Amino acid sequence: MSERIVLAPMAGWLTPLAQVPDQAFAGAMVGEGVAIDPTDTVVRAPFDGVIAGLPASRHAVTIRSDDGVEVLIHVGLETVALNGRGFTAHVAEGARVAAGDPLLTLDLDLIADGAASLMTPVVIVGGGAAVRPLSPGRTVAAGEAILSVAVAAAAITQASSQTLTRLVRAPLPHGLHARPAARIAACAKGFDARVSLYLGTRQADATSLVGMMGLGVGDGDELRLVAAGPQAVQALDALEALITGGLEEAHAAATPDALAPTPNPAPEPGEDGELILSGVTASPGLVMGQAVRLRQAEIAVPRDGNGAAAETASLHAALEMVRAALARAGSSGPAQSRAVMAAHLAFLDDPALIAAAEQAIAEGRGAGFAWRQATRAAADLFRTMGDPRMAERADDLLDLERQVLVELTGDAPTAPPALGPGSVIVADDLLPSQLMALEAAKVAGLCTARGGPTSHVAILAAAMGVPALVAVGQGLDRVQDGALVVLDADGRRLVAHPSAARQAAAQSAAAALSRRRADARAQAMDVCHTADGVRIEVFANLGNAAEAAPAVQGGAEGCGLLRTEFLFLERETAPTEDEQLVQYQAIADALDGRPLIIRTLDAGGDKPLPYLPMPHEDNPALGLRGVRSGLHRPDILLTQLRAICRVRSRGTVAVMLPMIAAVAEVRQVRALLDAAAAETGRPAPLLGVMIETPAAAMTVDRLAPAIDFISIGTNDLTQYALAMDRQNPALAAQLDSLHPAVLRLIAQAAEGAAPLKWIGVCGGLAADPLAAPILIGLGVRELSATPSMVAEIKAVVRSLTLADCSRLAAEALGQDGPEAVRALTAERLAALKSRVGAIA
């Protein structure tokens, strides 16, 4: 370890960086350092080195030393808008300078008129292992020492090697938020190179989520990638392909404004003293119950520490405890909760967040105070970026803040409130860990004053099947603990103190639903037939091995769709054949001879992989996704097919291909599958396709000779048939798979697939009780639903005859829109229930 001294680039008052009136600089999101309130008009080189960056606006300059330390001198705040007025440059990028050489001359009066502040941050943006300010809070002259930077030997080695630069334009409609930043970080960590991202003069380490998100990258912004180290070229190649490919964001058409919750009107007075509040649906459903208000007191932490060494050790011990807890929580359970835990782990390991806390500890703060300061600075930054998605990620940081503080202080976590059956949780906002700590069986609904429909709490609520309403506003404060409420998430409202008539209607609907679910659970393990004896198989869609056994216990007769992406995501290299076999075999064993249909990797589109960079596509949803991505990398596809061939089961094991549009694609995969079977000495499994494109639906008769079965993926089939992006919340209400156009495509596909072994549906429509009779009437004989809906779908099927289903399907095809189809189906099912009840 060596030391690099940074000299003051100008005369003025030296101040701690935390006092800069800008969240990004004060929170050390840009880098660690100090700031100078200048009295000098010349900016000078702080050491010998090379000019690494000088934007056209000349409001900032970056210089790199021979040992790899990079210093950003950012003259004033919000001075980029001056477009160079008041700045005269004496150097150019790439120029060699000596300590004290003039870099810029300033017209301070002109700059002061257009700047938010003349405060000039001097921050380390690269190459420093540790940064120590030298006595801030004093007057300095140009050339005095202001920072001591520890430089690791590895950094010196990298600095001595060639530094490479790439310019890329980022197609990111929603900016560089958590998911795409995590993709970049995962990719960068896979190379022996130090990589930085620059947006103008702002810099972030490519392994830091918080740093990258703090850059404020917008759609189409030009980024400068800078890499040094033995694998700099490979790192830049991979990152350039990843970023220009759009990460997972380029396909999303919604704008941040479209995602923002609609402002809520003032609470409405209802009949008989009702209080009616409007919000945004996060998870559908209707429930009546008692409000249970959730509150959490802030954890008290001392401002000052007991020495930097002790406080740093305490912080890292607490981080390790939380890291282990998150890893345990993320190793099992529903896919949605595991995804939340993975996102929290990525934040917990963020180098910029940890560095900001360690800097505060070095300045004398206690570990808890420093961690809170770091997380809240980052959270505040996310909230001010004008993107609802980013604002929602601030809640994740606050959740982590609390979890780490619990470990640091030794305080017991706030005990969740005692819940009675039918409790409706009411809170200003809710953290993911709070929701996961509640007794799920007693949570009937959730309602929050803040939050958003894409938050992690909303995702968890939907996975729990709990109705949830968010962004209700401050009017929610008027709902007292214990008050009777009706939460109608479908209708986007919460009614406190409901009238007798509203209570009766809600009780009737809830009781009927409860009876149906209890009856369904009681018969869940029975083989499913229609009332007149037609066999309908009801399978479960699975996302990993942990979900298989619970699905069987819930009545699933097999797995109609195993999404294999869980093996390929959140890693730096593709899984090996043996790694895949272990997981597939575990699922087959849990299914105990029941059918297992394994979908090959569906990469591209909304599932990019850092080790599988795709060429830039203006519309990835219509590009190299599904089977096309597999044929683009046949080595990865062949490895997966070999692993599937090796699975041993008493039941059927089948391969299913996603996003098929042509017979030629099937024939290419059939050749690979035959090769895999020959190489492994095993018989080739059945081969089927997902019907997700109108082209496939209309040409199933041409596909049939090359395949053994079809399964209709209604989610993608609907978006392609209706030309509506299913990732766009603004279109969610219109994107209904019961649209007659979609139903006609399903009917055509089922007719063309009549000679095949089976015809299934594995999309969201298979889990919709209103859709089951229509699908059966159209010729479908296998429904693969979310595990939680298997029992209910079986119960619906048992109440119908094939003739009932055929008549309803024929009528549905003649309706004008999905609303009419739903109304017709609800009416027919109610009539059938009345008929069955009269006969009984």
Side-chain angles (χ1 to χ4, degrees):
M1 192 79 71
S2 64
E3 182 185 38
R4 162 63 58 183
I5 296 297
V6 178
L7 307 178
M10 57 178 64
W13 180 259
L14 186 68
T15 186
L17 198 61
Q19 295 182 13
V20 174
D22 179 278
Q23 287 291 347
F25 283 113
M29 295 299 103
V30 179
E32 299 175 61
V34 291
I36 297 174
D37 194 355
T39 57
D40 199 352
T41 60
V42 178
V43 177
R44 301 179 182 277
F47 44 57
D48 297 346
V50 174
I51 301 301
L54 181 66
S57 56
R58 302 185 295 279
H59 71 292
V61 60
T62 304
I63 181 171
R64 183 188 305 114
S65 69
D66 295 334
D67 50 8
V69 173
E70 293 187 354
V71 170
L72 168 67
I73 305 165
H74 193 288
V75 181
L77 303 177
E78 300 182 24
T79 46
V80 65
L82 292 171
N83 294 316
R85 290 183 291 111
F87 300 91
T88 301
H90 303 293
V91 291
E93 281 193 20
R96 182 84 192 175
V97 295
D101 285 352
L103 307 179
L104 303 171
T105 296
L106 313 176
D107 184 336
L108 290 180
D109 291 335
L110 180 57
I111 295 171
D113 287 340
S117 169
L118 287 175
M119 191 77 76
T120 296
V122 181
V123 294
I124 306 302
V125 294
V131 180
R132 181 169 59 91
L134 301 178
S135 304
R138 60 187 173 95
T139 300
V140 294
E144 286 188 38
I146 58 172
L147 290 171
S148 171
V149 183
V151 185
I156 297 172
T157 300
Q158 285 194 0
S160 63
S161 65
Q162 186 179 13
T163 298
L164 303 176
T165 299
R166 297 274 178 89
L167 295 178
V168 297
R169 200 164 290 280
L172 295 165
H174 306 305
L176 190 56
H177 60 87
R179 286 190 301 274
R183 300 283 186 222
I184 292 174
C187 183
K189 289 174 182 177
F191 297 96
D192 184 9
R194 181 188 177 92
V195 185
S196 297
L197 275 67
Y198 288 82
L199 179 66
T201 58
R202 291 198 169 192
Q203 179 269 355
D205 188 321
T207 63
S208 169
L209 268 70
V210 172
M212 287 188 286
M213 293 166 70
L215 289 175
V217 178
D219 188 24
D221 283 349
E222 187 175 73
L223 290 172
R224 182 160 55 95
L225 308 181
V226 178
Q231 293 186 308
V233 174
Q234 296 93 322
L236 288 179
D237 286 345
L239 286 168
E240 181 179 18
L242 186 66
I243 294 171
T244 56
L247 301 153
E248 87 274 25
E249 296 297 299
H251 70 285
T255 64
D257 287 344
L259 295 171
T262 304
N264 296 307
E268 307 171 28
E271 58 186 38
D272 298 332
E274 291 180 332
L275 175 67
I276 302 176
L277 302 168
S278 298
V280 175
T281 302
S283 179
L286 181 147
V287 67
M288 183 170 72
Q290 279 196 319
V292 176
R293 185 162 283 282
L294 208 60
R295 295 183 176 90
Q296 277 200 130
E298 184 160 284
I299 298 174
V301 292
R303 180 177 185 274
D304 297 324
N306 296 314
E311 297 294 336
T312 300
S314 295
L315 174 62
H316 282 278
L319 291 172
E320 187 55 40
M321 293 292 290
V322 175
R323 187 178 293 110
L326 291 174
R328 287 193 299 272
S331 64
S332 61
Q336 294 87 346
S337 62
R338 294 197 315 275
V340 173
M341 295 303 99
H344 282 197
L345 275 169
F347 274 127
L348 197 68
D349 290 330
D350 189 279
L353 202 61
I354 294 172
E358 290 177 340
Q359 176 63 33
I361 289 173
E363 295 170 357
R365 303 293 170 256
F369 188 95
W371 179 249
R372 172 173 285 161
Q373 179 175 294
T375 53
R376 294 201 176 178
D380 288 345
L381 179 64
F382 291 166
R383 289 196 184 101
T384 60
M385 295 181 71
D387 184 341
R389 281 188 175 91
M390 300 294 281
E392 288 166 1
R393 296 295 79 82
D395 292 337
D396 295 320
L397 282 169
L398 298 181
D399 199 346
L400 284 174
E401 174 197 308
R402 189 169 192 87
Q403 293 178 59
V404 173
L405 293 186
V406 164
E407 296 294 340
L408 280 169
T409 60
D411 289 354
T414 303
L419 301 180
S423 295
V424 177
I425 305 301
V426 176
D428 178 60
D429 205 355
L430 203 59
L431 301 175
S433 62
Q434 288 178 281
L435 177 55
M436 295 174 73
L438 296 174
E439 191 175 353
K442 294 182 179 179
V443 177
L446 303 172
C447 186
T448 62
R450 298 191 291 129
T454 59
S455 68
H456 281 146
V457 165
I459 292 169
L460 290 172
M464 294 166 62
V466 172
L469 202 63
V470 297
V472 171
Q474 294 307 308
L476 191 61
D477 291 341
R478 296 171 59 183
V479 178
Q480 299 300 313
D481 199 21
L484 186 64
V485 297
V486 172
L487 174 62
D488 180 6
D490 295 319
R492 297 167 60 100
R493 62 185 179 179
L494 176 82
V495 182
H497 315 297
S499 66
R502 196 185 300 273
Q503 290 182 48
Q507 285 175 333
S508 177
L513 178 60
S514 178
R515 286 193 301 271
R516 288 199 303 272
R517 288 180 172 171
D519 292 343
R521 285 194 296 271
Q523 302 179 65
M525 299 304 294
D526 295 346
V527 173
C528 185
H529 295 85
T530 62
D532 55 346
V534 178
R535 179 74 168 101
I536 305 295
E537 295 176 297
V538 183
F539 292 173
N541 296 337
L542 301 178
N544 60 57
E547 296 176 0
V552 171
Q553 293 164 8
E557 299 174 322
C559 170
L561 168 63
L562 173 62
R563 302 181 180 94
T564 58
E565 290 73 42
F566 76 97
L567 280 164
F568 293 82
L569 297 173
E570 308 300 335
R571 56 184 297 153
E572 297 165 9
T573 59
T576 65
E577 180 181 325
D578 288 342
E579 284 179 303
Q580 294 185 60
L581 176 61
V582 168
Q583 295 298 319
Y584 302 152
Q585 190 63 57
I587 295 169
D589 293 345
L591 291 175
D592 193 23
R594 296 171 178 84
L596 168 59
I597 302 173
I598 303 175
R599 183 178 71 184
T600 58
L601 174 63
D602 186 6
D606 60 345
K607 308 179 188 80
L609 303 173
Y611 54 84
L612 184 59
M614 297 290 185
H616 172 69
E617 298 177 308
D618 290 334
N619 191 344
L622 299 179
L624 281 175
R625 62 166 299 194
V627 73
R628 299 167 192 163
S629 66
L631 294 174
H632 178 68
R633 283 291 302 273
D635 56 322
I636 292 178
L637 178 56
L638 180 61
T639 299
Q640 184 172 31
L641 294 175
R642 283 174 55 89
I644 296 171
C645 287
R646 292 171 61 192
V647 175
R648 297 182 180 274
S649 172
R650 293 184 291 105
T652 298
V653 176
V655 173
M656 185 161 65
L657 308 179
M659 203 56 63
I660 287 291
V663 180
E665 296 167 335
V666 179
R667 290 175 180 152
Q668 290 179 70
V669 179
R670 172 70 76 179
L672 288 172
L673 182 59
D674 290 343
E679 292 170 5
T680 58
R682 302 280 297 164
L686 297 178
L687 180 64
V689 301
M690 289 186 73
I691 304 299
E692 300 172 279
T693 67
M698 292 187 286
T699 59
V700 170
D701 59 324
R702 309 304 301 162
L703 292 168
I707 59 177
D708 300 302
F709 66 93
I710 67 167
S711 188
I712 300 166
T714 54
N715 300 345
D716 272 322
L717 183 61
T718 301
Q719 80 162 342
Y720 291 131
L722 302 183
M724 293 183 184
D725 183 356
R726 64 189 179 102
Q727 303 290 334
N728 187 342
L731 300 175
Q734 303 172 59
L735 196 71
D736 193 329
S737 294
L738 283 180
H739 192 292
V742 179
L743 296 179
R744 292 186 182 206
L745 287 171
I746 294 173
Q748 187 171 358
E751 182 180 357
L756 299 179
K757 293 184 183 297
W758 76 81
I759 301 167
V761 171
C762 60
L765 208 57
D768 187 339
L770 287 180
I774 298 175
L775 295 174
I776 294 169
L778 293 176
V780 172
R781 294 296 180 265
E782 179 254 314
L783 300 170
S784 192
T786 53
S788 62
M789 290 300 298
V790 166
E792 191 168 343
I793 294 299
K794 280 186 165 184
V796 171
V797 172
R798 293 190 188 103
S799 70
L800 305 165
T801 67
L802 183 59
D804 293 332
C805 296
S806 298
R807 282 192 297 269
L808 178 57
E811 287 187 80
L813 294 178
Q815 301 302 307
D816 292 334
E819 300 85 359
V821 173
R822 290 191 177 278
L824 169 72
T825 307
E827 179 184 334
R828 293 290 185 272
L829 289 180
L832 287 171
K833 288 173 186 173
S834 298
R835 184 189 71 190
V836 171
I839 293 173

